[in-house]
Amino acid sequence: MDRGWELVEQVCVWVQGIIIAGDSRSLQAAVLASDILTPLDRVLRQAGARVSMVRVALWCLVALAKPTPPTKELADFVSHASEQIRCSSDPEVLTHAAWLVAYLSNDVAGLTELSHERGVLEVLVTWIRESRPSLLMPALRTLSNLCRGDSVQTGMVLQAGGLPAIVGALRGGDVAPSQTQEALFALACVAGGTDAQIVALIDAGAYRAITSLLAASPDERVTKEAALVCANPWPLAHSLTLDTAQALIDAGAVTALANLITVTALPGIISISVDALTFAARKGQQIMMLGARRAAAAAAAEAAAYAGAEEAGRRHTPRPCPPPVSHVNPVVAALKAMGLVGTLESVMKEHRDDEIGQKLQGLVMLLGHL
């Protein structure tokens, strides 16, 4: 293309980007109706395209994609943005490409396209791990969108090493609330996933990080997202194994939820915590029963082995005593040791919300019964 016409085209794209930069749906529709995607596609496909033109093209696409949800016509540009993420070294190009993927992956069509790309998630994880200033937030947003998808898409984040990087984004002396909230949203989505994904969450140190985070008294939005990370594994419909449930207890998920129930806590935080602790207490009952069955099976195996040795005339030691069986619900025991029943009763006196009061009363009764 002639140098002069190339500059004209660049200015035209830039002007149309300015028109839609106000996040207006109607202006976005008008620009899309002008068939702007065709020249943008041509620019990004062109080998050896000027970096300045690629910057403007991506910037315009970001403005087109920013309204939520983005239009389906834009989903095909995930591949162009991914190519720039993999290959470009220009900071401005990378920033625009990262935000384009972040906005487009907020829609099912964009997520599907991103799922077909190879090598992109590993780059995004590196940006998060290294806390790249202009790239960390769009990278976090993209991983959050994937974690919000199906178990396969969440699994892609885990395979790329995303969990340790996301947990690491919670740490640091001067982390912006928006960064913390985005990271917690991703972790909360994983916490509502499969049993194996919850185990990966525990192994990544998510609950230790959240305990430290909550101790610093974060703002309400961060507190709510942190509560959801602790609460999402517990519903009885969830495929949570008892061993994983015990690991969650050991990791501090239960005590973190209990500590969120205070007289000054918002009703939404109390509701999330009480619902989750109700499910957790019932799961704790199953853990207790499993422990009793395992102890009984071990005692039976020991007795059978002793009987076989006695019959063969090889008994040299007294018959061992069966190990003591603990009939303790680990969740209920932990909550009672924290004095949660008294806290629940105090909160009930302060809250006039009937629904919250019923939930609090129900948990008090459950803890008294189990």
Side-chain angles (χ1 to χ4, degrees), residues 54-359:
V54 174
R55 289 173 184 165
V56 173
L58 288 171
W59 173 74
C60 186
L61 285 165
V62 169
L64 283 167
K66 196 172 182 181
T68 304
T71 59
K72 292 183 178 180
E73 301 97 316
L74 290 164
D76 289 341
F77 284 87
V78 168
S79 61
H80 289 314
S82 298
E83 180 67 17
Q84 295 299 328
I85 288 172
R86 285 189 295 259
C87 301
S88 179
S89 58
D90 182 77
E92 192 173 338
V93 167
L94 289 175
T95 299
H96 293 326
W99 277 112
L100 182 57
V101 170
Y103 290 134
L104 293 181
S105 62
N106 197 42
D107 180 74
V108 173
L111 267 183
T112 301
E113 290 296 323
L114 181 58
S115 299
H116 297 151
E117 296 295 330
R118 295 292 176 264
V120 175
L121 296 189
E122 289 77 5
V123 176
L124 300 182
V125 168
T126 298
W127 291 347
I128 296 170
R129 191 170 57 245
E130 296 178 355
S131 297
R132 300 281 185 92
S134 63
L135 300 172
L136 188 149
M137 276 303 296
L140 264 179
R141 180 77 57 83
T142 300
L143 295 194
S144 294
N145 290 338
L146 280 164
C147 290
R148 191 186 59 188
D150 57 32
S151 60
V152 174
Q153 290 165 340
T154 302
M156 292 172 60
V157 174
L158 271 61
Q159 290 172 4
L163 273 186
I166 295 170
V167 172
L170 297 175
R171 304 188 178 102
D174 189 24
V175 177
S178 58
Q179 175 180 320
T180 302
Q181 192 175 355
E182 196 70 60
L184 287 171
F185 177 80
L187 297 178
C189 292
V190 177
T194 65
D195 187 82
Q197 289 167 355
I198 295 170
V199 171
L201 196 64
I202 297 169
D203 292 343
Y207 292 100
R208 293 192 299 274
I210 287 173
T211 299
S212 300
L213 180 67
L214 291 174
S217 301
D219 66 27
E220 296 166 0
R221 293 170 298 174
V222 169
T223 300
K224 181 178 179 181
E225 293 295 343
L228 289 172
V229 181
C230 297
N232 283 353
W234 293 108
L236 293 181
H238 202 288
S239 59
L240 185 69
T241 66
L242 299 184
D243 288 338
T244 302
Q246 182 64 61
L248 279 168
I249 298 168
D250 296 339
V254 168
T255 53
L257 287 167
N259 285 329
L260 291 174
I261 304 175
T262 64
V263 172
T264 58
L266 293 174
I269 301 296
I270 294 174
S271 181
I272 290 170
S273 300
V274 170
D275 285 345
L277 289 175
T278 299
F279 287 127
R282 292 171 179 162
K283 187 68 75 170
Q285 198 71 4
Q286 297 176 19
I287 293 173
M288 181 187 74
M289 295 170 63
L290 175 65
R293 289 197 298 272
R294 285 176 174 173
E302 188 73 36
Y306 178 88
E310 184 179 48
E311 184 178 347
R314 293 183 279 106
R315 179 165 58 89
H316 303 293
T317 58
R319 181 173 180 175
C321 296
V325 179
S326 175
H327 295 287
V328 175
N329 179 320
V331 175
V332 173
L335 296 180
K336 287 182 176 178
M338 295 175 66
L340 184 65
V341 173
T343 300
L344 295 173
E345 292 171 344
S346 297
V347 175
M348 276 191 288
K349 293 176 183 178
E350 296 294 330
H351 276 273
R352 301 182 182 277
D353 187 299
D354 290 340
E355 182 180 354
I356 296 293
Q358 290 174 2
K359 289 184 177 183

